[in-house]
């Protein structure tokens, strides 16, 4: 069974203080790893899809990287509007379902 | 273009009532997924449709849960004889092709069973 573990559970940063969120996964045959952002009371908003180890993707202040065991979401010089819960998810092998982690709740303080 | 929409956004039900939750996927998207999200947790897979065919329902927690997508577009998740433990946010997502594709989520329906 696929497993996804995200750390830390919560992270509090000062505005401009860069950091990284971790997503460790155990799957048989990764087909894709997804990062989503979720604001309170809303559905997850797609950020990135990574398919193979070594792949990197960037969007504004966010950069996602992937290895064979984990993915990182790097946040550079965050702003208060980056405050949200960041979810990691994987899909593997012949399975149809996506397995999510429990998320990292990020708070960026002005 | 329009994203995934869900209705109602909020539903309060008395224990034992039946509820129906609707999902309108992005136009043309072949795949549709339902998830259940408890407070402070990540979404958990319930079921998956490819067009009108329900290919995986392994995540449905009991036989009180039923989903359909009769014309391969709009989907309905029905919960019969609701219980308090059914209280959660129910999320719908769609993707353009198969399950390896990015899924786009709706805003969710928040269900509270009293």
């Amino acid at each position: 069974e696929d497993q996804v573990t995200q750390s830390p559970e919560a992270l509090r940063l000062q505005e401009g203080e860069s950091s990284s969120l971790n997503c460790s996964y155990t799957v048989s045959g990764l087909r894709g790893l997804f990062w989503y952002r979720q604001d309170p009371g809303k559905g997850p908003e797609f950020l990135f899809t990574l398919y193979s180890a070594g792949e990197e993707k960037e969007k504004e202040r966010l950069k996602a990287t992937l290895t064979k065991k984990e993915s990182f979401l790097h946040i550079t010089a965050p702003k208060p509007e980056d405050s949200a819960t960041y979810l990691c998810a994987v899909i593997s092998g012949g399975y149809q379902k996506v397995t999510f982690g429990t998320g990292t709740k990020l708070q960026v303080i002005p | 273009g329009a994203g995934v929409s869900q209705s109602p956004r909020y539903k309060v039900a008395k224990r034992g009532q039946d509820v129906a939750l609707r999902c309108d996927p992005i136009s043309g998207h072949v795949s549709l997924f339902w998830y259940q999200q408890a407070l402070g947790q990540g979404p958990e897979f319930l079921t998956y449709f490819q067009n009108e065919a329900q290919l995986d329902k392994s995540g449905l927690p009991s036989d009180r849960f039923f989903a359909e997508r009769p014309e391969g577009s709009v989907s309905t998740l029905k919960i019969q004889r609701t219980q308090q433990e059914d209280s959660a946010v129910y999320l719908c997502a769609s993707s353009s092709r198969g399950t390896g594709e990015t899924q786009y989520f709706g805003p969710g329906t928040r269900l509270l069973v009293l």
Side-chain angles (χ1 to χ4, degrees):
Chain A
E1 186 174 321
D2 296 349
Q3 289 190 331
V4 178
T5 303
Q6 291 189 246
S7 61
E9 290 186 8
L11 181 62
R12 195 174 182 188
L13 299 173
Q14 292 289 328
E15 184 171 3
E17 180 187 1
S18 301
S19 188
S20 296
L21 312 183
N22 178 264
C23 171
S24 298
Y25 61 89
T26 304
V27 301
S28 10
L30 181 73
R31 289 173 52 200
L33 183 141
F34 309 93
W35 281 99
Y36 288 86
R37 167 192 172 128
Q38 187 171 29
D39 293 293
K42 297 189 177 181
E45 175 189 345
F46 170 72
L47 294 174
F48 304 108
T49 306
L50 302 168
Y51 292 104
S52 57
E55 190 174 358
E56 298 183 352
K57 289 193 176 174
E58 287 188 68
K59 178 181 179 181
E60 296 180 353
R61 295 177 293 281
L62 300 176
K63 178 180 177 181
T65 62
L66 181 65
T67 73
K68 290 186 178 179
K69 294 183 179 180
E70 58 192 348
S71 177
F72 291 94
L73 184 66
H74 306 278
I75 303 176
T76 302
K79 298 182 177 182
E81 53 262 41
D82 294 323
S83 297
T85 295
Y86 290 85
L87 295 165
C88 171
V90 298
I91 189 165
S92 68
Y95 294 108
Q96 308 290 350
K97 66 181 183 180
V98 173
T99 301
F100 278 84
T102 54
T104 292
K105 186 173 183 179
L106 174 66
Q107 183 183 15
V108 181
I109 303 163
Chain B
V4 178
S5 61
Q6 292 186 245
S7 62
R9 292 295 316 278
Y10 303 93
K11 177 70 179 177
V12 178
K14 291 183 179 178
R15 189 174 54 183
Q17 276 187 331
D18 297 348
V19 299
L21 313 180
R22 176 187 168 107
C23 172
D24 282 85
I26 293 172
S27 179
H29 274 195
V30 168
S31 298
L32 185 146
F33 306 80
W34 284 99
Y35 293 86
Q36 181 188 63
Q37 187 173 27
L39 191 64
Q41 301 296 312
E44 290 200 7
F45 171 84
L46 294 177
T47 187
Y48 157 63
F49 290 86
Q50 187 165 329
N51 296 306
E52 68 279 1
Q54 189 174 18
L55 299 186
D56 188 342
K57 54 182 181 179
S58 62
L60 296 176
S62 77
D63 58 8
R64 297 186 294 104
F65 286 71
F66 171 76
E68 60 183 6
R69 194 187 185 198
E71 297 179 356
S73 178
V74 171
S75 177
T76 303
L77 176 67
K78 298 179 179 178
I79 309 173
Q80 297 177 324
R81 305 180 303 281
T82 53
Q83 303 294 315
Q84 286 186 322
E85 60 263 29
D86 299 335
S87 296
V89 175
Y90 291 86
L91 294 164
C92 175
S94 69
S95 68
S96 59
R97 289 177 289 178
T99 57
E101 299 294 320
T102 298
Q103 297 180 20
Y104 297 91
F105 282 81
T109 294
R110 186 174 299 272
L111 173 65
L112 177 63
V113 182
L114 301 176

